Amino acid sequence: MQPPPIEKPHTRDQRLLASAMALGKSVVEARKDFATFFELVGWSPENTAVQVQNFQRGWLHHLNSYRRVLLLAPRGHGKSEFVTLRVLWELGRDPNLRVKIVCQSDDRAKRVLTSLKKHITSNRLLRLVFPGLKRDPNGAWTDTKIDLLRPGVPRDPSIHALGVLSTVVGGRSDLLWFDDPMDYRMIILQPKTGKAAVAKTFAEWMPTLVPTGRVWVTMTPWGESDLAGVLRTRKGWALCENAVGTDADPFVPLWPARFSREYLMELRESEGA
């Protein structure tokens, strides 16, 4: 067997230089374009590179174009991961933003915030794109709120994450993100709890938003009485809804690489989903 050819130094240097130039170009573009940022900085649960899926381009359009967005998609289709990176991109571009994240429970909110903190402290590509996106050594860095470096002496945390039924402790928000604020238990098994969560959303969470602020609701719909069902009936909300299957064929996958047609058929057969 012949030994592999030895790469000449100048050829290797040219290849490395080309790679460095391509990375530099992507970094500059990522500061302006979220799709580029997502594919450069993001990672999948399997620690592989991510790509913006076709159905996610609708999410991108809505987040870019509207102040009040209702984004509905099945579980497992990357809603939280997508918007987590969008929050980081927004903060990288404007570190003065005050973000509130509202989830179904405090534990869920803590997990979302932990993911954000991990990116901020460990994601080297994020640091290349936004080198100023750093924790404030003199500010909060807890399970529920964090402070990033920003000018002035801000009163509100950069990110505050809580459960939907938690006490709203005041403060204002420039970006309010409801990430799966309701679940099956809350809507189907404990409808009074779900009703209370919807009421609290409008009575206490929404009023934290400044007049020029934005609000995003990302969730799996459970029924007419959940937050998504209520928002469908209200004016001023831009709806982006994705679903698996069509009227003619219920097994058409929305994300074939993750949920194949065969998997959807097996799921229906085994669980009646």
Side-chain angles (χ1 to χ4, degrees):
M1 181 180 293
Q2 294 291 329
I6 299 175
E7 188 175 21
K8 296 181 179 179
H10 73 277
T11 303
R12 182 179 65 249
D13 291 346
Q14 289 176 341
R15 180 171 51 82
L16 292 174
L17 178 59
S19 297
M21 292 177 65
L23 176 60
K25 183 178 180 180
S26 295
V27 165
V28 172
E29 185 65 21
R31 293 173 183 148
K32 301 178 292 182
D33 177 69
F34 176 68
T36 303
F37 176 86
F38 179 82
E39 295 184 346
L40 177 66
V41 171
W43 59 58
S44 73
E46 298 80 22
N47 287 323
T48 58
V50 297
Q51 289 184 322
V52 178
Q53 303 299 308
N54 286 336
F55 67 91
Q56 292 174 334
R57 295 196 179 278
W59 304 355
L60 180 61
H61 168 73
H62 278 68
L63 296 181
N64 285 343
S65 305
Y66 304 104
R67 287 183 50 241
R68 296 176 180 267
V69 175
L70 174 59
L71 193 160
L72 306 178
R75 287 176 293 179
H77 282 72
K79 300 183 298 296
S80 296
E81 294 87 346
F82 191 89
V83 181
T84 290
L85 288 170
R86 179 66 183 226
V87 168
L88 291 168
W89 186 75
E90 296 281 353
L91 284 166
R93 289 161 59 88
D94 183 1
N96 289 311
L97 287 178
R98 296 159 296 179
V99 181
K100 279 186 169 58
I101 300 172
V102 184
C103 299
Q104 176 268 330
S105 66
D106 286 335
D107 285 343
R108 165 72 182 172
K110 289 176 182 177
R111 291 197 296 271
V112 174
L113 186 59
T114 295
S115 176
L116 286 158
K117 291 161 66 177
K118 184 177 179 181
H119 278 291
I120 292 167
T121 58
S122 305
N123 192 324
R124 295 181 179 179
L125 289 170
L126 173 63
R127 202 168 302 154
L128 276 177
V129 178
F130 295 119
L133 191 64
K134 301 176 181 178
R135 63 174 293 185
D136 183 348
N138 299 314
W141 193 263
T142 72
D143 289 341
T144 60
K145 58 185 176 181
I146 64 173
D147 285 314
L148 302 175
L149 282 177
R150 46 191 166 160
V153 185
R155 296 179 57 186
D156 299 318
S158 298
I159 307 177
H160 200 177
L162 292 168
V164 65
L165 292 174
S166 296
T167 301
V168 182
V169 293
R172 307 294 281 165
S173 54
D174 303 291
L175 177 57
L176 182 58
W177 174 28
F178 293 87
D179 180 41
D180 280 322
M182 298 182 172
D183 63 359
Y184 177 86
R185 174 189 61 82
M186 186 179 287
I187 298 302
I188 307 300
L189 302 181
Q190 300 175 5
K192 289 184 178 180
T193 303
K195 186 176 180 180
V198 171
K200 190 178 181 72
T201 294
F202 292 105
E204 299 186 35
W205 287 112
M206 292 293 190
T208 68
L209 202 65
V210 300
T212 57
R214 291 168 290 166
V215 55
W216 303 335
V217 178
T218 59
M219 62 184 290
T220 299
W222 294 101
E224 294 181 358
S225 63
D226 68 9
L227 183 58
V230 173
L231 292 179
R232 285 177 187 271
T233 67
R234 302 215 172 185
K235 295 181 179 180
W237 286 85
L239 171 64
C240 182
E241 185 170 13
N242 303 108
V244 171
T246 65
D247 292 338
D249 184 352
F251 303 113
V252 176
L254 186 60
W255 194 344
R258 181 171 288 189
F259 299 105
S260 67
R261 180 183 183 85
E262 291 72 23
Y263 171 81
L264 296 175
M265 296 177 70
E266 291 174 3
L267 187 66
R268 171 70 66 88
E269 184 177 350
S270 63
E271 301 182 13

